[in-house]
Amino acid sequence: MCRWLGYYGNPINPKELLYDPEHSLIQQSRLAAPDVPTANADGHGLGWYSEAGRPTLFRSAAPAWGDENLRELSATVRSSLFVAHVRAATGTPVQQTNCHPFRYGRWMFVHNGFIADFQRLRRDLILAVRPDLFESIGGSTDSEVMFYLALTFGLEDDPLGGLERMAGHIEALAASQGISEPVQMTIGLTDGERLYAVRYASGPVVNTLYVSGDVESVRELYPENERLAHFSDEARVVVSEPLVTLPGLWHEVPPSSALIVQKGPDEQRPFRPQQPT
């Protein structure tokens, strides 16, 4: 399985989350999880927003741990909102166009999971993509098709609704072809103003997703931890796997739920797939 993270808060160097923690995203690219002895070695990417608000991508099909360009870039860029991803391919080629994040307009999208029997469903799923969006699809992954289906079903005006209609469409199509439990996903989505995170699966097994706790409360728990001192009170990190072992720092995002990280109070909502009308 892939791993991803999203950050929202005061401007920082992405290196602080990609490289510095004991179980950083780069470390996760070497070892997916303590009990999963496989690597996320099939590409990586970093997407961030500049001061002008434009999303910028750096993507490579190489393993993240050996990419000196990523190390240099992540130590130089400063951003208040970014997403990063390390890929483990699930049946599609290892190539740059298949690496996350995916971008359309001001939106960026990362995904951990799969569509079951994707090759069997692929033609019908792609034909459901809005014609004016079709030429923007650059790769061959199920993740990118999910993004463009969500755009087709209204993501730009209703981000969570677009994602719910995307998942509902996939489940309905899969059911018509006798495919059970077709969707397994955690999704990170951002427009440069908010960070949306979704944890959902059609079946009982759901990939993990965590969000960091209130920074002020965490500082009170760990006043000696200098790493936390410069993060703003609104800073949040959403991750597939915790980056450090600090009890009380990470909160599991419940299955079938969506999180909106934003200025002011964050929001958590149920995530309920629905068929597009």
Side-chain angles (χ1 to χ4, degrees):
M1 289 295 175
C2 307
R3 292 293 185 270
W4 63 267
L5 67 79
Y7 171 79
Y8 176 97
N10 56 301
I12 66 169
N13 298 122
K15 178 180 178 292
E16 292 190 51
L17 302 180
L18 270 62
Y19 287 91
D20 294 351
E22 63 191 67
H23 191 51
S24 68
L25 192 68
I26 300 304
Q27 180 61 23
Q28 291 177 37
S29 74
R30 296 177 181 270
L31 184 68
D35 58 344
V36 182
T38 57
N40 293 299
D42 299 324
H44 61 277
L46 172 66
W48 69 95
Y49 290 86
S50 65
E51 292 183 0
R54 181 183 182 276
T56 303
L57 299 185
F58 173 82
R59 300 189 298 174
S60 170
W65 65 78
D67 194 328
E68 288 301 318
N69 290 323
L70 177 64
R71 182 183 290 273
E72 290 282 339
L73 183 68
S74 66
T76 303
V77 166
R78 289 183 66 83
S79 179
S80 59
L81 205 166
F82 59 84
V83 290
H85 186 277
V86 291
R87 182 175 183 242
T90 55
T92 50
V94 178
Q95 59 193 43
Q96 184 173 318
T97 54
N98 283 343
C99 295
H100 310 217
F102 300 105
R103 176 182 62 191
Y104 181 82
R106 71 182 190 275
W107 295 92
M108 293 193 294
F109 176 97
V110 291
H111 170 239
N112 173 29
F114 57 85
I115 298 174
D117 286 326
F118 174 60
Q119 293 303 325
R120 184 172 156 194
L121 299 174
R122 182 171 179 265
R123 178 180 179 276
D124 288 335
L125 291 174
I126 289 177
L127 288 175
V129 173
R130 211 171 67 208
D132 63 296
L133 295 172
F134 183 83
E135 64 181 18
S136 296
I137 299 175
S140 57
T141 64
D142 52 358
S143 300
E144 190 175 19
V145 171
M146 292 168 76
F147 181 36
Y148 279 91
L149 283 171
L151 287 163
T152 297
F153 299 138
L155 178 147
E156 291 175 283
D157 295 323
D158 179 12
L160 294 181
L163 293 174
E164 287 179 328
R165 289 185 284 274
M166 171 270 289
H169 177 76
I170 294 170
E171 289 184 331
L173 176 63
S176 72
Q177 300 197 25
I179 300 170
S180 63
E181 302 181 7
V183 176
Q184 171 69 261
M185 69 183 198
T186 67
I187 284 173
L189 174 73
T190 178
D191 61 354
E193 296 181 6
R194 296 175 179 86
L195 175 62
Y196 301 87
V198 172
R199 185 184 182 204
Y200 177 77
S202 303
V205 179
V206 191
N207 288 343
T208 58
L209 192 66
Y210 298 85
V211 60
S212 60
D214 175 80
V215 173
E216 184 176 0
S217 299
V218 173
R219 287 197 197 101
E220 293 176 0
L221 285 172
Y222 303 98
E224 73 287 352
N225 194 320
E226 296 181 0
R227 180 178 293 164
L228 301 172
H230 71 290
F231 286 99
S232 66
D233 290 345
E234 288 196 330
R236 297 288 184 275
V237 185
V238 182
V239 293
S240 298
E241 297 288 343
L243 304 178
V244 294
T245 304
L246 286 177
L249 174 57
W250 302 105
H251 304 291
E252 186 174 4
V253 177
S256 299
S257 66
L259 181 68
I260 307 173
V261 180
Q262 58 191 350
K263 186 175 182 179
D266 298 337
E267 298 179 42
Q268 185 175 299
R269 303 180 186 177
F271 184 85
R272 301 187 180 100
Q274 53 186 297
Q275 290 193 45
T277 56

